[in-house]
Amino acid sequence: MKTLSIDIETYSPVPIADCGSFRYIADPEFQILLFGYAFGEDEPTVIDLLSGGEIPEDVVEAIYSPDYIKTGYNNAFERFALWRHFGRYCPPEQWEDTMVLAAVCGLPLGLGAVCAALGLGEDKAKDKAGKALIKYFCCPCKPTKVNGGRTRNYPEHAPEKWAEFIEYNRQDIVAERHIRNMLLRWKPDATEHKFWCLDARINEKGIRVDTTLVQRALEFDARYNEELTEKAVALSGLENPKSVSQIKDWLYRQEGIEVASLNKKAVADVVAQLSTDRAREFMSVRAELSKTSTSKYEAMRRSACPDEHIKGCFQFYGANRTGRFAGRLVQLQNLPQNHMEDLATARALVRANEYETVKTLYGSVSNTLSELIRTALIPEPGCRFIVCDYSAIEARVIAWLAEENWRLDVFRNGGDIYC
């Protein structure tokens, strides 16, 4: 099968590390700056799209031809970016990801780290100067008097850097292709590739979020934290009631006890030693302040695309010791369980901005918001979610794969494998 190696450099004002590649690419200001490619073992070519270059017609034909395997490193990004650029879907079945080869071989997932692990020479390794060039051309810049108040750097602002950037893109093609050639003997089989394609389509589709609920949850949390902070200050007189060192000093002055740690394991012992209601109440408020019930809401807000879907939440072979899918962004594989009987009522009250009612009915706003996290994920119109949680799924499957029959018998007979 013929191959086409592809690597691109892009611009977007969205911070990709915080929001994910799909939100990054969905931004109206997103654009492909450089398009690097190579047919087979040919010398790489870089098209300067920002300066008016165009991708050759034969390359466009190859991108959409099933006769060519498109390769690259973490090329789900390239696939989606080209879909946005051309307005035409790129089927994952025609693509192969060299990062998957690295993961299968137990190598690091970062391109630079893989080059280092494989001991590639400078002629075949990723260009280390690229990080600074990416920051200069691919991210917004701070307006200053020196740069004339601009918020973005273009080739004319640093022609020498732009020439280096083009060479950096060209060298990435060399490095990625060389890694693929080295690791190709361990290429996963066709069945595994189908799972990779499934992962791609799941990530492209994403999952719909209730943006109203998400926004209200963040507002409720900010308001609740402000109230708790004021209460903690009133009880303790501390300038910063979240400061561990200040709390330790206050407990020594207030209770006469020396506290070595305030982590989760130690707090229960500390509270048991308290003798005054004021100290116990303060520690209760402090515990409420320490809860992080809205971190997933914040991740949903950051990564939600214009169509109100969060995308790219799974990574194929992300856990490279086991080959499992790994969670990204919102970490959908680790969501708090629901225990409230009137979940729908609580959800409706939060959406309706009934803060005082929620606090009166449920007491802890943090706990209520935590219970509602799953409900921020909503099905498409006319559809519903069927939620399941498989019991000891990894232990069962591994035992079956290993033909460890004694362990399977424990499960068949209703035993507890963890005992």
Side-chain angles (χ1 to χ4, degrees):
M1 180 73 80
K2 296 177 286 187
T3 61
L4 173 63
S5 301
I6 297 174
D7 186 84
I8 63 175
E9 307 300 338
T10 61
Y11 173 85
S12 176
V14 173
I16 192 169
D18 295 331
C19 304
S21 58
F22 286 88
R23 174 66 186 85
Y24 173 94
I25 293 171
D27 190 87
E29 294 185 47
F30 168 83
Q31 62 181 148
I32 299 176
L33 309 178
L34 300 174
F35 179 87
Y37 72 93
F39 286 103
E41 297 299 316
D42 292 352
E43 282 297 310
T45 300
V46 177
I47 307 299
D48 183 351
L49 297 181
L50 188 61
S51 302
E54 294 184 3
I55 301 174
E57 189 60 38
D58 63 327
V59 177
V60 178
E61 289 180 6
I63 289 173
Y64 291 100
S65 170
D67 296 331
Y68 283 87
I69 294 175
K70 276 65 70 173
T71 72
Y73 203 89
N74 191 21
N75 61 17
F77 181 83
E78 273 77 9
R79 232 175 29 82
F80 193 64
L82 291 172
W83 182 7
R84 165 81 190 273
H85 181 79
F86 290 115
R88 183 179 170 189
Y89 184 63
C90 302
E93 289 76 13
Q94 299 177 14
W95 292 63
E96 292 180 3
D97 191 348
T98 303
M99 186 170 71
V100 172
L101 293 178
V104 167
C105 294
L107 292 165
L109 296 184
L111 179 56
V114 170
C115 290
L118 293 175
L120 299 187
E122 289 188 4
D123 60 324
K124 293 183 174 64
K126 180 179 174 70
D127 189 343
K128 294 179 181 178
K131 194 171 183 179
L133 294 169
I134 288 173
K135 184 175 181 181
Y136 189 82
F137 290 113
C138 300
C139 307
C141 64
K142 187 177 180 179
T144 64
K145 288 184 179 180
V146 176
N147 69 15
R150 68 174 183 267
T151 57
R152 181 179 171 185
N153 296 313
Y154 287 92
E156 60 265 27
H157 297 130
E160 291 183 2
K161 285 186 178 181
W162 186 250
E164 291 176 19
F165 197 36
I166 290 174
E167 288 308 307
Y168 165 78
N169 183 228
R170 191 190 317 276
Q171 185 60 24
D172 266 4
I173 293 283
V174 173
E176 292 167 10
R177 185 172 60 187
H178 188 70
I179 292 169
R180 173 180 163 83
N181 290 340
M182 288 182 71
L183 305 181
L184 198 55
R185 73 186 77 174
W186 293 289
K187 174 182 171 181
D189 62 20
T191 299
E192 199 73 1
H193 186 65
K194 287 181 180 179
F195 284 118
W196 180 78
C197 295
L198 175 63
D199 170 79
R201 293 183 183 275
I202 289 172
N203 280 322
E204 291 162 5
K205 177 67 176 176
I207 186 168
R208 191 164 159 240
V209 294
D210 186 335
T211 53
T212 299
L213 178 63
V214 168
Q215 184 59 35
R216 289 284 182 262
L218 292 170
E219 292 169 359
F220 276 32
D221 183 69
R223 184 172 171 181
Y224 190 54
N225 269 273
E226 186 177 340
E227 292 175 358
L228 289 172
T229 301
E230 290 177 358
K231 187 173 182 179
V233 170
L235 286 167
S236 65
L238 295 177
E239 183 179 340
N240 179 9
K242 291 185 178 181
S243 166
V244 173
S245 61
Q246 289 185 32
I247 293 172
K248 287 181 179 179
D249 290 342
W250 183 79
L251 287 172
Y252 182 74
R253 295 194 311 270
Q254 178 77 13
E255 296 285 314
I257 60 174
E258 292 188 9
V259 178
S261 173
L262 285 173
N263 62 30
K264 286 184 178 180
K265 291 182 179 179
V267 164
D269 291 335
V270 172
V271 172
Q273 299 177 55
L274 302 179
S275 59
T276 65
D277 290 340
R278 174 182 287 268
R280 282 191 285 268
E281 186 177 3
F282 170 78
M283 290 302 291
S284 176
V285 172
R286 188 253 179 191
E288 193 73 6
L289 271 170
S290 301
K291 292 177 180 176
T292 55
S293 60
T294 58
S295 59
K296 289 191 183 293
Y297 289 115
E298 181 57 38
M300 290 178 193
R301 184 196 64 77
R302 288 196 312 267
S303 55
C305 293
D307 62 0
E308 299 188 341
H309 285 63
I310 52 173
K311 303 174 183 180
C313 290
F314 300 103
Q315 183 174 345
F316 181 80
Y317 225 110
N320 66 358
R321 287 177 176 81
T322 62
R324 284 190 295 107
F325 287 66
R328 295 291 180 260
L329 300 173
V330 182
Q331 296 290 346
L332 296 175
Q333 291 157 311
N334 183 25
L335 297 173
Q337 294 182 354
N338 306 124
H339 299 288
M340 297 174 66
E341 293 183 0
D342 54 348
L343 201 64
T345 301
R347 186 179 191 280
L349 288 170
V350 173
R351 291 190 90 254
N353 204 21
E354 295 287 346
Y355 176 81
E356 292 296 341
T357 306
V358 169
K359 193 167 70 166
T360 300
L361 289 177
Y362 304 106
S364 172
V365 173
S366 293
N367 288 344
T368 305
L369 295 178
S370 180
E371 291 254 357
L372 293 176
I373 287 174
R374 285 177 183 257
T375 75
L377 307 171
I378 53 178
E380 303 298 323
C383 299
R384 62 175 179 164
F385 288 142
I386 298 176
V387 182
C388 55
D389 188 356
Y390 297 106
S391 175
I393 183 64
E394 288 187 326
R396 292 173 189 265
V397 172
I398 291 171
W400 180 80
L401 288 171
E403 298 182 358
E404 209 164 35
N405 291 316
W406 72 267
R407 188 181 296 266
L408 293 172
D409 288 339
V410 173
F411 289 122
R412 292 189 184 106
N413 298 325
D416 187 343
I417 194 66
Y418 297 107
C419 293

